[in-house]
Amino acid sequence: MGPLSPARTLRLWGPRSLGVALGVFMTIGFALQLLGGPFQRRLPGPQLRQPSAPSLRPALLSCAPRQRLVFLKTHKSGSSSVLSLLHRYGDRHGLRFALPARYQFGYPRLFQASRVKGYRPQTGGTQLPFHILCHHMRFNLKEVLQVMPSDSFFFSIVRDPAALARSAFSYYKSTSSAFRKSPSLAAFLANPRAFYRPGARGDHYARNLLWFDFGLPFPPEKRAKRGSLHPPRDPDPRQLQVLPSGAGPRAQTLNPNALIHPVSTVADHRSQISSPASFDLGSSSFIQWGLAWLDSVFDLVMVAEYFDESLVLLADALCWGLDDVVGFMHNAQAGRKQGLSTVSNSGLTAEDRQLTARARAWNNLDWALYVHFNRSLWARIEKYGQRRLQTAVAELRARREALAKHCLAGGEASDPKYITDRRFRPFQFGSAKVLGYILRSGLSPQDQEECERLATPELQYKDKLDAKQFPPTVSLPLKTSRPLSP
Ligand SMILES: Nc1ncnc2c1ncn2[C@@H]1O[C@H](COP(=O)(O)OS(=O)(=O)O)[C@@H](OP(=O)(O)O)[C@H]1O
C-alpha cells in the first residue's frame, strides 16, 4: 500500500553482498541508531488525563505525533500492556486498526495481509488507510508492507528469556507438547531434548519464542550430545544495564525475503549474495545477521525489565505525551514474583539461578536477541540523558499510582474470581490465574470512561474497536408484496 520509503525499499531489495553490508552498516548503524526522535507536543485530553503532565521535550520545540504504527506483539513479554496503550490511543484519536478476524493473524503461520479484516488490495488506492497494526503475528515484513506504509514506526518488546520461559511454561503448559510432557519447568530445562521435538504441536512456545515471533528462520537442528548445552555465564548486571553505545547496526540493505525464504528467493542472485542459507545457521554470524536485519526494520525495541524506561523512550520517539503511555499492567499471572529480577540475579535462590542460566542457554537465540536490544535500549537512554529519563520515569510512575488509586477498587489488580463484570474479566488460560481490574464505584461519567479504557483487557478492547470500525449494518425491512396504501 503506497510507495515504499527509500530506507525500507533498501531493506527489502538490499545490497549484493551481505558481508559488505554487515561491515558497512555496523558502522553507519551506530550513528542512525543514536539519532533522537522528534520533539514532544502535548495533546489535550479528558479530565483524568493530567493537563499539567510534563512534556518530554522543551515546550517551544514541537513535533507532530506519529500515528502510523506497527507493533510486533511478541508473546509473554509484557506486550498486552503495550497493546492496551495502543488500543486507548487509537480509540481516543479515532485511528483505524488493522485487525485480525479473531484475535491473532493466523499465528503461528507467518503474517499474511489477507488476514487483515477489511483489507482490499483491489480497490486501487481508494481504501481508507490503516494507522495501527498491533495484534499477535509471526512477523513477515513483506506482507506487513502490503497493509502499512513503509514509513510507519515499527516497534516491539523483548523480555529476558528466563522470565519469559517461566511465564510461557505456566501459560502454555497444555498447548505445547514439550511442556505438557514435562512435570515442571526445572525438569524440562534439566533435559529439554527429552521433551522437545522441533515442529511438534505448539513447541515454538518452548524454545526461542521471541526469535520465532520476529519471523526469523531457525538453524537446522543438530543432534546435540548429552551435556553439550553450555549455559551462558551470568552477565554482569551493570554490563547488561548500561553498556556503551555498542547499539545495533542498522543494516538497511539486507534482504528480508532472503531471510524469510532463504533458499527460493535468493536463488537468482546466489552467485552474488551471501544469503543466510550460505551461513552456518547456528553460527554467531548468522545470529548477527538476524539482529542486523531487525535493527534495519525496527525503530525501537522495548525491554520488559525496563518497561517504564522503554515507555518514556517510546513517548519521545512518537512525540506523544506521558499520559499517552501511562497504563496498568495487563496479563499478569497470579502468584508470580513480579519483582524478581532475573537480570540482576538479586533475590534469586541457587535453584532460581540455575534455572535462569539453563533457560537462557536453551533459548540461545532469544538470549542473543535480548542482550542486543538491551544494549540498544541503554545506548538510547544514554543519548536521551539518564537524569532526564529518571525524572520522566518517576513522573510516569506517580501518574500510574494516582490513576490506580482513582480508578481501581483497592487501588490494584484483582483475582479474576472477584471480577464479575465480563467487560473487565481477562481471558483465563494456562495453569495460573490471569489478574484483572475492578473499577471503583462513584466515578464521574468522564472518569468512568477513561478508567474503563485503562482496565479493559485486550480481547474485549479488540472487540470494542472491531465493533466501532465495522458497525453492524442495519438491515432495512424487506419490501412486502402488499401494495402501498394511498
Ligand atoms: N509492565 C510490565 N512490565 C513487566 N512485565 C509485564 C508488564 N506487563 C505485563 N508483564 C508481564 O508480561 C507477561 C504477559 O505478557 P504478554 O502480555 O506479552 O502475554 S501474551 O503473549 O499476550 O499472552 C506476564 O508475565 P507473567 O506474569 O510472568 O506470566 C506479565 O506479568
Side-chain angles (χ1 to χ4, degrees):
M1 180 184 279
L4 297 183
S5 76
R8 270 196 184 99
T9 307
L10 275 176
R11 290 167 206 178
L12 269 176
W13 310 113
R16 310 211 152 173
S17 161
L18 185 61
V20 175
L22 269 178
V24 171
F25 286 100
M26 277 192 172
T27 316
I28 298 175
F30 295 136
L32 290 173
Q33 180 85 10
L34 297 178
L35 283 177
F39 296 117
Q40 178 66 26
R41 180 159 60 85
R42 294 277 320 131
L43 293 169
Q47 189 193 324
L48 242 195
R49 297 160 51 72
Q50 215 176 45
S52 59
S55 159
L56 298 175
R57 296 273 190 183
L60 282 176
L61 304 168
S62 69
C63 55
R66 296 193 64 169
Q67 298 191 326
R68 292 293 175 87
L69 312 172
V70 175
F71 174 60
L72 172 63
K73 188 180 187 301
T74 50
H75 286 80
K76 308 321 294 175
S77 56
S79 65
S80 304
S81 302
V82 180
L83 197 72
S84 166
L85 73 90
L86 293 176
H87 279 162
R88 281 181 280 128
Y89 184 91
D91 190 14
R92 228 186 278 120
H93 292 85
L95 305 183
R96 269 170 58 83
F97 286 81
L99 297 170
R102 288 177 54 75
Y103 300 105
Q104 312 193 349
F105 291 107
Y107 189 86
R109 283 185 290 279
L110 284 165
F111 174 80
Q112 296 296 319
S114 56
R115 293 269 180 181
V116 173
K117 201 169 166 185
Y119 168 68
R120 273 183 290 277
Q122 314 86 338
T123 47
T126 56
Q127 180 174 356
L128 286 173
F130 293 111
H131 296 95
I132 302 181
L133 173 66
C134 60
H135 294 88
H136 277 308
M137 66 165 75
R138 187 171 185 213
F139 191 67
N140 184 2
L141 179 64
K142 187 164 171 271
E143 287 289 315
V144 165
L145 290 175
Q146 301 295 312
V147 180
M148 297 297 295
S150 61
D151 60 355
S152 304
F153 185 85
F154 281 62
F155 70 117
S156 188
I157 183 165
V158 295
R159 187 183 189 187
D160 182 344
L164 197 150
R166 287 175 170 90
S167 176
F169 188 84
S170 83
Y171 203 78
Y172 298 115
K173 180 87 176 81
S174 61
T175 314
S176 152
S177 63
F179 285 164
R180 194 166 352 110
K181 284 183 266 170
S182 42
S184 65
L185 180 61
F188 174 74
L189 290 171
N191 188 11
R193 287 177 196 285
F195 307 101
Y196 175 83
R197 298 279 169 273
R201 198 177 80 83
D203 278 359
H204 59 282
Y205 292 120
R207 190 177 196 191
N208 292 316
L209 180 54
L210 291 171
W211 193 269
F212 182 88
D213 284 355
F214 274 99
L216 296 166
F218 279 82
E221 267 291 303
K222 291 194 198 114
R223 283 229 61 76
K225 287 195 207 107
R226 200 175 292 276
S228 66
L229 194 64
H230 297 298
R233 274 195 286 149
D234 280 350
D236 175 347
R238 280 164 307 146
Q239 271 194 348
L240 250 188
Q241 285 177 30
V242 198
L243 278 171
S245 55
R250 282 202 167 228
Q252 300 175 9
T253 50
L254 297 178
N255 181 347
N257 289 330
L259 187 66
I260 290 161
H261 310 289
V263 180
S264 58
T265 58
V266 295
D268 296 343
H269 310 278
R270 195 166 291 147
S271 54
Q272 303 150 353
I273 299 178
S274 301
S275 78
S278 65
F279 284 127
D280 165 5
L281 293 180
S283 73
S284 68
S285 52
F286 170 73
I287 294 173
Q288 290 311 317
W289 190 89
L291 297 177
W293 183 74
L294 292 181
D295 275 340
S296 77
V297 173
F298 286 87
D299 297 291
L300 173 70
V301 176
M302 302 168 66
V303 174
E305 280 71 20
Y306 304 106
F307 194 82
D308 292 342
E309 290 81 355
S310 299
L311 285 181
V312 170
L313 294 180
L314 178 70
D316 180 61
L318 297 180
C319 188
W320 289 10
L322 269 193
D323 271 351
D324 293 321
V325 295
V326 77
F328 302 146
M329 192 188 254
H330 284 267
N331 231 355
Q333 297 183 75
R336 302 186 51 77
K337 299 180 213 161
Q338 295 302 342
L340 194 105
S341 169
T342 50
V343 173
S344 67
N345 270 345
S346 62
L348 294 182
T349 62
E351 204 177 306
D352 279 336
R353 269 201 291 277
Q354 185 187 52
L355 196 128
T356 295
R358 284 180 170 166
R360 288 173 182 167
W362 173 242
N363 295 287
N364 61 326
L365 299 173
D366 278 10
W367 177 241
L369 206 123
Y370 179 75
V371 169
H372 176 74
F373 286 121
N374 199 315
R375 278 192 190 131
S376 312
L377 184 90
W378 284 92
R380 217 169 162 132
I381 288 173
E382 286 293 307
K383 184 89 184 140
Y384 183 88
Q386 293 249 18
R387 269 273 174 81
R388 190 164 154 238
L389 185 95
Q390 277 166 11
T391 309
V393 165
E395 181 64 36
L396 181 88
R397 289 179 180 159
R399 280 298 288 144
R400 182 184 294 131
E401 215 178 304
L403 284 171
K405 275 200 186 121
H406 188 79
C407 291
L408 306 175
E412 58 181 16
S414 299
D415 185 311
K417 75 177 172 210
Y418 301 117
I419 307 175
T420 48
D421 187 335
R422 291 164 66 95
R423 292 174 304 157
F424 303 116
R425 193 167 193 275
F427 178 59
Q428 298 299 309
F429 194 75
S431 49
K433 290 173 181 173
V434 178
L435 303 176
Y437 299 101
I438 300 169
L439 293 192
R440 224 165 46 82
S441 49
L443 294 166
S444 71
Q446 213 177 8
D447 287 359
Q448 174 79 20
E449 191 183 332
E450 191 58 21
C451 293
E452 282 185 7
R453 283 187 170 135
L454 285 157
T456 302
E458 61 182 286
L459 303 191
Q460 287 92 326
Y461 216 135
K462 186 259 160 188
D463 288 341
K464 186 179 147 186
L465 294 167
D466 201 322
K468 185 173 163 186
Q469 232 167 269
F470 302 97
T473 44
V474 185
S475 51
L476 295 169
L478 289 173
K479 262 196 213 158
T480 61
S481 51
R482 205 157 58 91
L484 292 173
S485 42

mmCIF file of all heavy atoms in Angstrom, residues 73-81 136 159 167 171-172 304 307 329-333 336 338 458, ligand 1:
data_model
loop_
_atom_site.group_PDB
_atom_site.id
_atom_site.type_symbol
_atom_site.label_atom_id
_atom_site.label_comp_id
_atom_site.label_asym_id
_atom_site.label_seq_id
_atom_site.Cartn_x
_atom_site.Cartn_y
_atom_site.Cartn_z
ATOM 1 N N LYS A 73 3.625 -7.735 18.434
ATOM 2 C CA LYS A 73 3.228 -8.169 19.779
ATOM 3 C C LYS A 73 3.831 -9.543 20.050
ATOM 4 O O LYS A 73 3.248 -10.563 19.686
ATOM 5 C CB LYS A 73 1.693 -8.198 19.877
ATOM 6 C CG LYS A 73 1.195 -8.443 21.292
ATOM 7 C CD LYS A 73 -0.329 -8.459 21.342
ATOM 8 C CE LYS A 73 -0.828 -8.528 22.782
ATOM 9 N NZ LYS A 73 -0.384 -9.697 23.531
ATOM 10 N N THR A 74 4.999 -9.538 20.654
ATOM 11 C CA THR A 74 5.657 -10.805 20.988
ATOM 12 C C THR A 74 4.925 -11.455 22.169
ATOM 13 O O THR A 74 4.196 -10.781 22.902
ATOM 14 C CB THR A 74 7.120 -10.540 21.376
ATOM 15 O OG1 THR A 74 7.131 -9.493 22.347
ATOM 16 C CG2 THR A 74 7.943 -10.124 20.162
ATOM 17 N N HIS A 75 5.160 -12.760 22.360
ATOM 18 C CA HIS A 75 4.431 -13.479 23.412
ATOM 19 C C HIS A 75 5.137 -13.428 24.769
ATOM 20 O O HIS A 75 6.356 -13.500 24.841
ATOM 21 C CB HIS A 75 4.245 -14.947 23.007
ATOM 22 C CG HIS A 75 3.200 -15.130 21.945
ATOM 23 N ND1 HIS A 75 3.440 -14.910 20.614
ATOM 24 C CD2 HIS A 75 1.893 -15.489 22.049
ATOM 25 C CE1 HIS A 75 2.338 -15.136 19.930
ATOM 26 N NE2 HIS A 75 1.377 -15.483 20.766
ATOM 27 N N LYS A 76 4.333 -13.323 25.812
ATOM 28 C CA LYS A 76 4.769 -13.409 27.209
ATOM 29 C C LYS A 76 5.890 -12.440 27.550
ATOM 30 O O LYS A 76 6.857 -12.770 28.233
ATOM 31 C CB LYS A 76 5.198 -14.855 27.558
ATOM 32 C CG LYS A 76 4.201 -15.936 27.221
ATOM 33 C CD LYS A 76 2.751 -15.620 27.462
ATOM 34 C CE LYS A 76 2.297 -15.413 28.838
ATOM 35 N NZ LYS A 76 0.841 -14.992 28.869
ATOM 36 N N SER A 77 5.776 -11.246 27.030
ATOM 37 C CA SER A 77 6.864 -10.281 27.196
ATOM 38 C C SER A 77 6.356 -8.915 27.660
ATOM 39 O O SER A 77 7.077 -7.931 27.518
ATOM 40 C CB SER A 77 7.591 -10.136 25.862
ATOM 41 O OG SER A 77 6.641 -9.761 24.885
ATOM 42 N N GLY A 78 5.145 -8.867 28.161
ATOM 43 C CA GLY A 78 4.582 -7.578 28.572
ATOM 44 C C GLY A 78 3.886 -6.874 27.422
ATOM 45 O O GLY A 78 3.519 -5.698 27.533
ATOM 46 N N SER A 79 3.665 -7.592 26.328
ATOM 47 C CA SER A 79 3.123 -6.945 25.121
ATOM 48 C C SER A 79 1.662 -6.536 25.270
ATOM 49 O O SER A 79 1.201 -5.610 24.602
ATOM 50 C CB SER A 79 3.289 -7.871 23.913
ATOM 51 O OG SER A 79 2.507 -9.032 24.074
ATOM 52 N N SER A 80 0.907 -7.200 26.155
ATOM 53 C CA SER A 80 -0.506 -6.825 26.312
ATOM 54 C C SER A 80 -0.629 -5.469 26.990
ATOM 55 O O SER A 80 -1.586 -4.733 26.760
ATOM 56 C CB SER A 80 -1.272 -7.869 27.132
ATOM 57 O OG SER A 80 -1.131 -9.124 26.532
ATOM 58 N N SER A 81 0.348 -5.144 27.827
ATOM 59 C CA SER A 81 0.330 -3.815 28.460
ATOM 60 C C SER A 81 0.603 -2.740 27.414
ATOM 61 O O SER A 81 0.051 -1.642 27.485
ATOM 62 C CB SER A 81 1.365 -3.746 29.586
ATOM 63 O OG SER A 81 1.112 -4.744 30.537
ATOM 64 N N HIS A 136 -1.200 -10.103 17.763
ATOM 65 C CA HIS A 136 -0.218 -11.199 17.641
ATOM 66 C C HIS A 136 -0.046 -11.670 16.201
ATOM 67 O O HIS A 136 -1.019 -11.971 15.509
ATOM 68 C CB HIS A 136 -0.688 -12.407 18.457
ATOM 69 C CG HIS A 136 -0.341 -12.322 19.910
ATOM 70 N ND1 HIS A 136 0.925 -12.077 20.375
ATOM 71 C CD2 HIS A 136 -1.108 -12.487 21.013
ATOM 72 C CE1 HIS A 136 0.930 -12.084 21.699
ATOM 73 N NE2 HIS A 136 -0.303 -12.320 22.109
ATOM 74 N N ARG A 159 11.815 -9.715 26.338
ATOM 75 C CA ARG A 159 11.905 -9.963 27.790
ATOM 76 C C ARG A 159 13.015 -10.978 28.016
ATOM 77 O O ARG A 159 13.269 -11.818 27.125
ATOM 78 C CB ARG A 159 10.561 -10.526 28.267
ATOM 79 C CG ARG A 159 10.406 -10.681 29.764
ATOM 80 C CD ARG A 159 9.052 -11.312 30.091
ATOM 81 N NE ARG A 159 8.763 -11.298 31.518
ATOM 82 C CZ ARG A 159 7.720 -11.907 32.069
ATOM 83 N NH1 ARG A 159 6.857 -12.565 31.292
ATOM 84 N NH2 ARG A 159 7.518 -11.863 33.370
ATOM 85 N N SER A 167 7.045 -17.698 32.408
ATOM 86 C CA SER A 167 5.697 -17.264 32.058
ATOM 87 C C SER A 167 5.076 -18.212 31.019
ATOM 88 O O SER A 167 3.937 -18.661 31.159
ATOM 89 C CB SER A 167 5.779 -15.838 31.499
ATOM 90 O OG SER A 167 4.537 -15.399 31.072
ATOM 91 N N TYR A 171 1.743 -20.690 31.160
ATOM 92 C CA TYR A 171 0.636 -20.287 30.282
ATOM 93 C C TYR A 171 0.355 -21.342 29.195
ATOM 94 O O TYR A 171 -0.788 -21.632 28.881
ATOM 95 C CB TYR A 171 0.967 -18.942 29.627
ATOM 96 C CG TYR A 171 -0.233 -18.175 29.159
ATOM 97 C CD1 TYR A 171 -1.027 -17.468 30.055
ATOM 98 C CD2 TYR A 171 -0.584 -18.149 27.812
ATOM 99 C CE1 TYR A 171 -2.134 -16.752 29.622
ATOM 100 C CE2 TYR A 171 -1.690 -17.432 27.371
ATOM 101 C CZ TYR A 171 -2.456 -16.737 28.287
ATOM 102 O OH TYR A 171 -3.557 -16.023 27.860
ATOM 103 N N TYR A 172 1.426 -21.896 28.637
ATOM 104 C CA TYR A 172 1.254 -22.833 27.506
ATOM 105 C C TYR A 172 1.476 -24.290 27.900
ATOM 106 O O TYR A 172 1.792 -25.112 27.047
ATOM 107 C CB TYR A 172 2.189 -22.437 26.357
ATOM 108 C CG TYR A 172 1.879 -21.061 25.811
ATOM 109 C CD1 TYR A 172 2.789 -20.020 25.927
ATOM 110 C CD2 TYR A 172 0.652 -20.794 25.216
ATOM 111 C CE1 TYR A 172 2.489 -18.751 25.453
ATOM 112 C CE2 TYR A 172 0.345 -19.531 24.742
ATOM 113 C CZ TYR A 172 1.267 -18.513 24.866
ATOM 114 O OH TYR A 172 0.963 -17.258 24.404
ATOM 115 N N ALA A 304 11.099 -5.515 28.553
ATOM 116 C CA ALA A 304 10.096 -5.645 29.622
ATOM 117 C C ALA A 304 10.682 -5.325 30.996
ATOM 118 O O ALA A 304 10.005 -4.727 31.834
ATOM 119 C CB ALA A 304 9.511 -7.056 29.614
ATOM 120 N N PHE A 307 10.496 -1.583 31.567
ATOM 121 C CA PHE A 307 9.257 -1.228 30.880
ATOM 122 C C PHE A 307 9.019 0.278 30.909
ATOM 123 O O PHE A 307 8.725 0.891 29.889
ATOM 124 C CB PHE A 307 8.097 -1.973 31.544
ATOM 125 C CG PHE A 307 6.841 -1.961 30.722
ATOM 126 C CD1 PHE A 307 6.671 -2.864 29.686
ATOM 127 C CD2 PHE A 307 5.837 -1.047 30.984
ATOM 128 C CE1 PHE A 307 5.520 -2.845 28.918
ATOM 129 C CE2 PHE A 307 4.684 -1.029 30.215
ATOM 130 C CZ PHE A 307 4.528 -1.934 29.180
ATOM 131 N N MET A 329 -0.624 -2.723 34.221
ATOM 132 C CA MET A 329 -0.051 -3.974 33.737
ATOM 133 C C MET A 329 -1.184 -4.929 33.348
ATOM 134 O O MET A 329 -2.140 -5.097 34.106
ATOM 135 C CB MET A 329 0.800 -4.576 34.852
ATOM 136 C CG MET A 329 1.674 -5.706 34.422
ATOM 137 S SD MET A 329 2.439 -6.487 35.843
ATOM 138 C CE MET A 329 4.087 -5.918 35.715
ATOM 139 N N HIS A 330 -1.078 -5.531 32.187
ATOM 140 C CA HIS A 330 -2.106 -6.482 31.755
ATOM 141 C C HIS A 330 -1.495 -7.876 31.570
ATOM 142 O O HIS A 330 -0.310 -8.008 31.265
ATOM 143 C CB HIS A 330 -2.751 -6.018 30.441
ATOM 144 C CG HIS A 330 -3.719 -4.897 30.649
ATOM 145 N ND1 HIS A 330 -5.070 -5.092 30.835
ATOM 146 C CD2 HIS A 330 -3.518 -3.557 30.758
ATOM 147 C CE1 HIS A 330 -5.673 -3.924 31.019
ATOM 148 N NE2 HIS A 330 -4.742 -2.970 30.972
ATOM 149 N N ASN A 331 -2.367 -8.866 31.767
ATOM 150 C CA ASN A 331 -1.996 -10.259 31.504
ATOM 151 C C ASN A 331 -0.986 -10.824 32.499
ATOM 152 O O ASN A 331 -0.267 -11.768 32.172
ATOM 153 C CB ASN A 331 -1.414 -10.382 30.089
ATOM 154 C CG ASN A 331 -2.104 -11.488 29.320
ATOM 155 O OD1 ASN A 331 -2.934 -12.206 29.882
ATOM 156 N ND2 ASN A 331 -1.771 -11.644 28.062
ATOM 157 N N ALA A 332 -0.921 -10.253 33.689
ATOM 158 C CA ALA A 332 -0.003 -10.795 34.702
ATOM 159 C C ALA A 332 -0.633 -12.037 35.331
ATOM 160 O O ALA A 332 -1.835 -12.062 35.614
ATOM 161 C CB ALA A 332 0.275 -9.748 35.770
ATOM 162 N N GLN A 333 0.169 -13.065 35.536
ATOM 163 C CA GLN A 333 -0.340 -14.281 36.154
ATOM 164 C C GLN A 333 -0.179 -14.175 37.673
ATOM 165 O O GLN A 333 0.858 -13.719 38.162
ATOM 166 C CB GLN A 333 0.409 -15.506 35.628
ATOM 167 C CG GLN A 333 0.206 -15.695 34.119
ATOM 168 C CD GLN A 333 0.883 -16.944 33.588
ATOM 169 O OE1 GLN A 333 0.409 -18.055 33.808
ATOM 170 N NE2 GLN A 333 1.992 -16.765 32.894
ATOM 171 N N ARG A 336 3.012 -14.963 40.589
ATOM 172 C CA ARG A 336 4.351 -14.910 40.012
ATOM 173 C C ARG A 336 5.095 -13.758 40.668
ATOM 174 O O ARG A 336 4.515 -12.731 40.981
ATOM 175 C CB ARG A 336 4.280 -14.753 38.502
ATOM 176 C CG ARG A 336 3.500 -15.914 37.889
ATOM 177 C CD ARG A 336 3.530 -15.871 36.409
ATOM 178 N NE ARG A 336 4.887 -15.726 35.914
ATOM 179 C CZ ARG A 336 5.774 -16.716 35.856
ATOM 180 N NH1 ARG A 336 5.430 -17.908 36.260
ATOM 181 N NH2 ARG A 336 6.990 -16.509 35.407
ATOM 182 N N GLN A 338 6.622 -10.849 40.553
ATOM 183 C CA GLN A 338 6.819 -9.782 39.566
ATOM 184 C C GLN A 338 8.089 -8.976 39.823
ATOM 185 O O GLN A 338 8.728 -8.507 38.912
ATOM 186 C CB GLN A 338 5.614 -8.837 39.543
ATOM 187 C CG GLN A 338 4.323 -9.490 39.078
ATOM 188 C CD GLN A 338 4.420 -10.101 37.694
ATOM 189 O OE1 GLN A 338 5.308 -9.783 36.923
ATOM 190 N NE2 GLN A 338 3.519 -11.014 37.376
ATOM 191 N N GLU A 458 -7.308 -6.990 26.727
ATOM 192 C CA GLU A 458 -7.056 -6.845 25.285
ATOM 193 C C GLU A 458 -8.145 -7.435 24.398
ATOM 194 O O GLU A 458 -8.487 -6.852 23.377
ATOM 195 C CB GLU A 458 -5.694 -7.443 24.931
ATOM 196 C CG GLU A 458 -5.563 -8.926 25.221
ATOM 197 C CD GLU A 458 -4.156 -9.435 24.894
ATOM 198 O OE1 GLU A 458 -3.823 -9.580 23.720
ATOM 199 O OE2 GLU A 458 -3.404 -9.681 25.830
HETATM 200 N N1 LIG B 1 4.672 -3.546 32.518
HETATM 201 C C1 LIG B 1 5.185 -4.767 32.563
HETATM 202 N N2 LIG B 1 6.451 -4.981 32.927
HETATM 203 C C2 LIG B 1 6.943 -6.219 33.008
HETATM 204 N N3 LIG B 1 6.234 -7.339 32.746
HETATM 205 C C3 LIG B 1 4.974 -7.168 32.384
HETATM 206 C C4 LIG B 1 4.395 -5.891 32.255
HETATM 207 N N4 LIG B 1 3.135 -6.046 31.861
HETATM 208 C C5 LIG B 1 2.934 -7.368 31.759
HETATM 209 N N5 LIG B 1 4.030 -8.047 32.089
HETATM 210 C C6 LIG B 1 4.200 -9.493 32.144
HETATM 211 O O1 LIG B 1 4.208 -9.997 30.815
HETATM 212 C C7 LIG B 1 3.579 -11.278 30.798
HETATM 213 C C8 LIG B 1 2.432 -11.258 29.811
HETATM 214 O O2 LIG B 1 2.996 -10.993 28.564
HETATM 215 P P1 LIG B 1 2.118 -10.757 27.270
HETATM 216 O O3 LIG B 1 1.086 -9.759 27.564
HETATM 217 O O4 LIG B 1 3.068 -10.477 26.176
HETATM 218 O O5 LIG B 1 1.456 -12.192 27.086
HETATM 219 S S1 LIG B 1 0.622 -12.739 25.857
HETATM 220 O O6 LIG B 1 1.547 -13.365 24.939
HETATM 221 O O7 LIG B 1 -0.097 -11.639 25.227
HETATM 222 O O8 LIG B 1 -0.299 -13.742 26.442
HETATM 223 C C9 LIG B 1 3.127 -11.534 32.198
HETATM 224 O O9 LIG B 1 4.169 -12.266 32.812
HETATM 225 P P2 LIG B 1 3.879 -13.418 33.899
HETATM 226 O O10 LIG B 1 3.034 -12.769 34.956
HETATM 227 O O11 LIG B 1 5.261 -13.751 34.355
HETATM 228 O O12 LIG B 1 3.190 -14.508 33.179
HETATM 229 C C10 LIG B 1 3.027 -10.153 32.799
HETATM 230 O O13 LIG B 1 3.150 -10.149 34.193
#
